[in-house]
Amino acid sequence: MFKKVLIVDDIDFNDIAAVQVLNDLEVPEIEYSKYCDDALLKLKKAHLENQPYELLISDLSFKADHRENKLNSGEELIAAVKKLYPEIKIIVFSIEDRAFRIKSLFDEFSINGYVMKGRTSIYDLRKAIEKAYRNEEKNISQELQHLLHDKAVIEIDKYDIELIRHLSFGVPQESMEATFKEKGITPNSKSTIEKRIAKLKDYFKANNPAHLVSIAKDLGII
C-alpha cells in the first residue's frame, strides 16, 4: 500500500472520510494542506528530500479568502503536479458532478480516480485507492459512470466548450472572432466560428445561442 499520501481540501470535515480510509489501509504517513499553493510546495520539498508523495487526494473547489494564491482550483494544482511529477497517482474527491469537467480530468491529466463525496464516500474512496495502488483501471464513483458514456460529453471538445463559455459570458457571435484572436484561441476565423456554433446548435437542437448555453448548463458541460 502507499506509504506517503497528501490530502488537499480546505474544509476539515471533508478530510475525515479520506483519513479513515487511509488509516484502515495502514498508510503510515498522511499529510494535509488547505491551499493548493502549499500543497505544491509540500510536493516539491518531499521530492527534493527523496521522500516523494505517492498519492495525492484533492478536492476541486477551494473557497477564496484573504490570502492570494497562484493556484486556485484542484484542476490547476493537478496540472502543475502532473507537469512536474507525472508518476504520482491522483484521486479527486469532490462534490462536483459536471460531466465534462470530470471527463477532462481523466483525458487531460490521466487521474487515477474520481470519487463523489456522499453516502458511499468511504467505500468508493477505498476502492479508488486500492485500484490506483495496483495500477488497475481508473475508478469513478458508480453514480457518475453514466456521465462518461453520455454521447454529448464524448463528442464535445475543448474548443466547443470555449465557444459555449464565451457565449455564456455575453460575447456576441459576431464578436467572437476578435475575442478569440485577443486571447490566442484557435481556430479563430469568422467562418470557422460560425460553422462550429451552427454545428453545436444543430447537435443540441438549440434555437439560438442563448438556448445553446442553457442546454449546455443543464447537461453540466459548462
Side-chain angles (χ1 to χ4, degrees):
M1 182 43 62
F2 296 112
K3 302 299 181 186
K4 189 171 183 177
V5 178
L6 178 62
I7 301 172
V8 189
D9 199 313
D10 59 354
I11 301 177
D12 292 333
F13 180 78
N14 291 335
D15 294 341
I16 296 174
V19 173
Q20 180 178 332
V21 172
L22 293 170
N23 283 332
D24 289 345
L25 292 171
E26 299 182 350
V27 174
E29 193 169 351
I30 306 169
E31 295 189 20
Y32 316 87
S33 181
K34 294 182 184 297
Y35 295 93
C36 294
D37 285 12
D38 290 350
L40 188 59
L41 286 175
K42 283 179 179 287
L43 288 157
K44 288 180 177 179
K45 182 173 182 292
H47 192 267
L48 288 172
E49 294 173 348
N50 292 317
Q51 296 179 328
Y53 292 95
E54 300 164 287
L55 173 65
L56 170 66
I57 300 175
S58 179
D59 197 352
L60 292 181
S61 300
F62 292 80
K63 189 175 181 180
D65 60 13
H66 63 281
R67 175 172 164 171
E68 185 174 341
N69 297 288
K70 293 181 179 178
L71 303 175
N72 296 291
S73 71
E75 285 100 335
E76 292 178 5
L77 172 62
I78 291 168
V81 171
K82 276 294 187 177
K83 186 175 181 179
L84 292 171
Y85 315 115
E87 72 283 355
I88 192 171
K89 303 294 177 62
I90 297 177
I91 293 173
V92 173
F93 186 37
S94 175
I95 61 170
E96 175 63 64
D97 63 356
R98 283 184 291 176
F100 183 82
R101 192 177 185 189
I102 296 170
K103 183 175 182 294
S104 67
L105 290 167
F106 284 101
D107 292 346
E108 293 182 41
F109 306 120
S110 295
I111 64 170
N112 299 90
Y114 192 99
V115 177
M116 182 86 170
K117 293 178 180 177
R119 293 192 179 102
T120 61
S121 292
I122 292 176
Y123 170 80
D124 290 341
L125 193 55
R126 178 170 184 140
K127 183 179 177 182
I129 292 170
E130 290 176 333
K131 281 191 172 185
Y133 179 72
R134 295 193 297 261
N135 288 313
E136 294 181 357
E137 62 181 295
K138 299 180 187 303
N139 187 83
I140 183 169
S141 292
Q142 186 68 36
E143 66 265 40
L144 296 174
Q145 288 184 4
H146 71 283
L147 296 177
L148 300 187
H149 300 289
D150 188 308
K151 185 179 178 182
V153 175
I154 293 170
E155 295 186 2
I156 300 303
D157 61 25
K158 288 186 68 176
Y159 183 76
D160 294 322
I161 301 302
E162 284 299 318
L163 275 173
I164 299 172
R165 281 181 64 248
H166 281 78
L167 288 172
S168 75
F169 295 157
V171 178
Q173 180 174 325
E174 56 270 20
S175 302
M176 198 69 71
E177 179 184 9
T179 300
F180 272 27
K181 285 181 178 178
E182 181 182 342
K183 295 190 175 184
I185 300 172
T186 57
N188 50 36
S189 69
K190 181 179 180 181
S191 62
T192 298
I193 291 170
E194 288 178 346
K195 288 176 183 176
R196 190 63 71 96
I197 291 178
K199 184 202 80 170
L200 288 168
K201 285 163 59 180
D202 182 64
Y203 185 87
F204 289 108
K205 296 180 173 56
N207 299 322
N208 50 53
H211 190 203
L212 172 61
V213 169
S214 176
I215 292 171
K217 287 182 177 179
D218 288 342
L219 291 172
I221 293 174
I222 60 171

